[in-house]
Amino acid sequence: MARLNAAVLPLCVALLAFSLAGQSAAGRYYSDQVQDKVRKEVEKAMAYNPSIGPALVRLVFHDCWVNGCDGSVLLDKTPTDGTNTEKKAVNNIGLAGFEVIDTIKQKVGAAASCADILAFAGRDAADILSRGNIFYSIPGGRKDGVVSSAAAADANLPESTFDFGQLQTNFAAPGRNFTVEELVVLSGAHSIGVAHLSSYKDRLGADATPIDSDYQSALAKATPPELLGKGQDPTVPNNPRDASAAFQKDAAYDPAAVGVSPTRGVLDNSYYHNNLINKVLFKSDWVLRTDGFAASKLQEYKDNAAEWNSDFAAAMVKLSSLPAQGKNLEIRKNCRFTNQQYYY
Ligand code: HEM
């Protein structure tokens, strides 16, 4: 073996370290160690439990929509709210992924806020779930808040029974300023993940907002509404593409006929295909058809997958950049608790 020139050796070592430290399984390189650690943990967690990916994408929305991106959704207890934190909000039903954030926090320590970790983790989950089609860069530097109220979460997060006007107002609220186009773009996140029966029970009755009758029967068969009266709240996939073959048969849902890729679990524009044939889960999805401009965007994103990928990435950057509100911002030691018992 040729002897390495003394001047070349450090370069080789540096290159090796670069490629080992910076290259994730999916091929993304991050120029800082925090993002690299986040990436690796998200990849591991999603490989172990695929439902973590959608949960992390949703967490970004639910954190940043309430007091800005301040990690408030992660808190179990605060000096002002006790244990009645955002996690207890009705609109936060099904929220998950907290353990992954905890694990990452243990690895990065004080080098990143919980709000940064959450934003990076959601970004990486979107990248992996979209098979690399949705990728965006976001800076760090977010700070963690010390307030987290269930009531504030329920007052700020949109509900699945909202009509179009309520969604539009919610998205356009001062401090957010999200457009109808961004509402339509971000709703495409419902191509992944699951929902509880209580979140779509209004879609199963005779007076439901328009819904394909086969799809409605399949939903009622898979999760009979009476279960709610018996204390059960089962889930179905948000996207019929991700449901079992039996469900798809009941729902007369054939991905090829609908024009979507049959691969389950992918974050893509299938939501728009489904919406335009009334096979979407929530009223808040369907009502996008009731506004002329929103409906035209549904059609546009159905027809142009690449455009949706890039517009979704841009909207996620905007979402992940909503500034933290309030005072006493800090870098939490533990994402579930504020650093102090009280604040002036
Ligand atoms: C437009 C207003 C929105 C409404 C009314 C809404 C409502 C909901 C509801 C009710 C669920 C099911 C919760 C459950 O029953 O477990 C859900 C799930 C989900 N939402 Fe939304 N959402 C909206 C916007 C968004 C946005 C902007 C994103 C992300 C950018 C998002 C991402 C998700 C994801 C990924 C899931 C599945 C989560 C999982 O499987 O863990 N949603 N949404």
Side-chain angles (χ1 to χ4, degrees):
M1 193 176 134
R3 277 174 54 209
L4 282 173
N5 179 310
V8 175
L9 189 59
L11 181 66
C12 292
V13 172
L15 280 175
L16 184 67
F18 174 90
S19 66
L20 289 179
Q23 202 69 38
S24 68
R28 297 288 181 202
Y29 170 70
Y30 298 124
S31 57
D32 78 73
Q33 287 193 345
V34 167
Q35 294 190 54
D36 197 48
K37 283 180 184 162
V38 173
R39 175 71 191 215
K40 282 178 185 149
E41 284 312 313
V42 170
E43 285 180 0
K44 274 199 272 179
M46 287 176 63
Y48 177 70
N49 176 1
S51 74
I52 292 291
L56 291 174
V57 174
R58 186 173 177 227
L59 267 188
V60 178
F61 179 49
H62 285 231
D63 186 36
C64 298
W65 221 239
V66 185
N67 298 329
C69 305
D70 64 347
S72 55
V73 75
L74 305 171
L75 287 163
D76 284 350
K77 194 178 174 198
T78 80
T80 47
D81 312 287
T83 56
N84 205 21
T85 60
E86 290 176 24
K87 288 180 182 179
K88 298 262 172 79
V90 176
N91 292 343
N92 275 332
I93 181 173
L95 224 55
F98 303 113
E99 293 77 11
V100 186
I101 305 292
D102 291 338
T103 304
I104 298 169
K105 180 65 179 173
Q106 280 161 17
K107 293 195 187 283
V108 305
S113 64
C114 299
D116 271 353
I117 291 170
L118 193 161
F120 291 144
R123 179 268 305 270
D124 291 342
D127 180 28
I128 296 165
L129 289 166
S130 68
R131 304 168 148 199
N133 286 319
I134 296 169
F135 182 73
Y136 48 93
S137 296
I138 38 173
R142 292 166 199 75
K143 288 275 184 68
D144 298 322
V146 300
V147 172
S148 175
S149 130
D154 276 330
N156 281 284
L157 290 165
E159 293 174 24
S160 62
T161 52
F162 272 13
D163 62 26
F164 179 79
Q166 290 172 304
L167 289 172
Q168 183 177 20
T169 305
N170 180 279
F171 271 62
R176 290 187 198 129
N177 301 317
F178 276 63
T179 64
V180 168
E181 181 167 337
E182 287 160 338
L183 162 65
V184 176
V185 168
L186 288 172
S187 295
H190 292 160
S191 65
I192 51 167
V194 299
H196 289 80
L197 171 57
S198 57
S199 298
Y200 59 86
K201 62 177 189 300
D202 60 299
R203 302 277 282 157
L204 303 182
D207 56 351
T209 38
I211 180 167
D212 174 88
S213 58
D214 292 320
Y215 179 52
Q216 187 187 48
S217 317
L219 288 169
K221 185 174 163 189
T223 57
E226 310 82 71
L227 290 178
L228 288 171
K230 297 177 183 161
Q232 294 176 46
D233 197 359
T235 59
V236 292
N238 283 334
N239 190 335
R241 176 206 60 193
D242 295 347
S244 66
F247 181 100
Q248 289 183 348
K249 188 160 174 281
D250 290 340
Y253 186 87
D254 173 6
V258 176
V260 311
S261 162
T263 312
R264 291 179 166 80
V266 179
L267 178 59
D268 63 11
N269 73 333
S270 53
Y271 167 87
Y272 302 94
H273 290 260
N274 298 343
N275 203 338
L276 290 167
I277 56 168
N278 289 353
K279 294 189 183 185
V280 277
L281 201 50
F282 306 130
K283 174 183 171 185
S284 60
D285 296 319
W286 183 81
V287 294
L288 300 178
R289 298 188 61 180
T290 63
D291 174 76
F293 177 70
S296 75
K297 296 306 289 187
L298 291 175
Q299 185 67 44
E300 194 175 314
Y301 291 127
K302 168 186 178 261
D303 293 339
N304 195 333
E307 185 193 355
W308 180 70
N309 289 335
S310 75
D311 286 1
F312 185 77
M316 287 300 287
V317 170
K318 181 170 170 181
L319 180 61
S320 310
S321 309
L322 287 173
Q325 313 288 319
K327 51 180 193 162
N328 296 318
L329 301 175
E330 60 188 18
I331 293 189
R332 256 176 244 150
K333 297 191 177 85
N334 178 333
C335 292
R336 292 174 185 263
F337 302 99
T338 55
N339 289 345
Q340 294 173 203
Q341 302 293 322
Y342 59 89
Y343 293 84
Y344 296 106

